[in-house]
Amino acid sequence: TVSVKDPTESFPQIDTDESYTLDIPACGGPGQLVASTLNGALRGLETFSQLVIFDFDASTYILSGGLPVSIADELRFPHRGIMIDTARHFQPVKSIMRVVDAMSFAKLNVLHWHVSDSQSFPLQFESR
């Protein structure tokens, strides 16, 4: 089950509480994810997805670390980000999209995109 203490939060902010606890009992019964906010629930679900692996011999999904699982996680640093510098180092759109998609795997919450500067090509948008 997934429980969120404050489901009313809208757009995440730098001080958003992303803490959660994830517990799966030794008997393999239903697990429980308790989070302070929706963003915490998303972080907990990401952690759960990283614990699950497919066992090809048994043709089933298993938890990689075994049971029981008990995780209590919270932010150590509120700003966990990555920078892409396409102003000086060209990156194809497909590469940028892979970085953005991968941010959730590492639980990063800030993307700093250095798009242009005085030494590089100017970014121009067509407007009417």
Side-chain angles (χ1 to χ4, degrees):
T1 60
V2 177
S3 302
V4 179
K5 295 176 185 172
D6 180 15
T8 60
E9 186 170 339
S10 58
F11 195 74
Q13 301 296 316
I14 198 71
D15 60 347
T16 298
D17 183 2
E18 297 180 15
S19 62
Y20 65 90
T21 59
L22 175 63
D23 293 300
I24 303 171
C27 66
Q32 184 174 17
L33 172 63
V34 178
S36 297
T37 61
L38 292 173
N39 292 297
L42 289 172
R43 301 298 185 218
L45 290 170
E46 182 61 40
T47 296
F48 179 73
S49 75
Q50 293 171 354
L51 294 172
V52 176
I53 60 172
F54 187 74
D55 182 351
F56 288 95
D57 296 330
S59 294
T60 187
Y61 291 94
I62 61 171
L63 291 175
S64 61
L67 294 174
V69 173
S70 183
I71 298 172
D73 195 13
E74 63 182 289
L75 298 179
R76 182 169 177 194
F77 303 105
H79 181 283
R80 297 167 324 282
I82 190 167
M83 185 183 93
I84 300 174
D85 186 2
T86 57
R88 296 187 183 106
H89 308 282
F90 174 79
Q91 295 291 321
V93 173
K94 189 173 184 177
S95 174
I96 296 168
M97 295 303 294
R98 275 192 308 236
V99 168
V100 171
D101 288 341
M103 287 178 66
S104 66
F105 302 142
K107 301 179 185 143
L108 301 178
N109 64 356
V110 176
L111 172 64
H112 176 84
W113 191 352
H114 189 199
V115 178
S116 68
D117 62 16
S118 62
Q119 292 86 29
S120 68
F121 64 93
L123 178 66
Q124 296 179 354
F125 292 104
E126 291 185 26
S127 61
R128 297 173 193 224

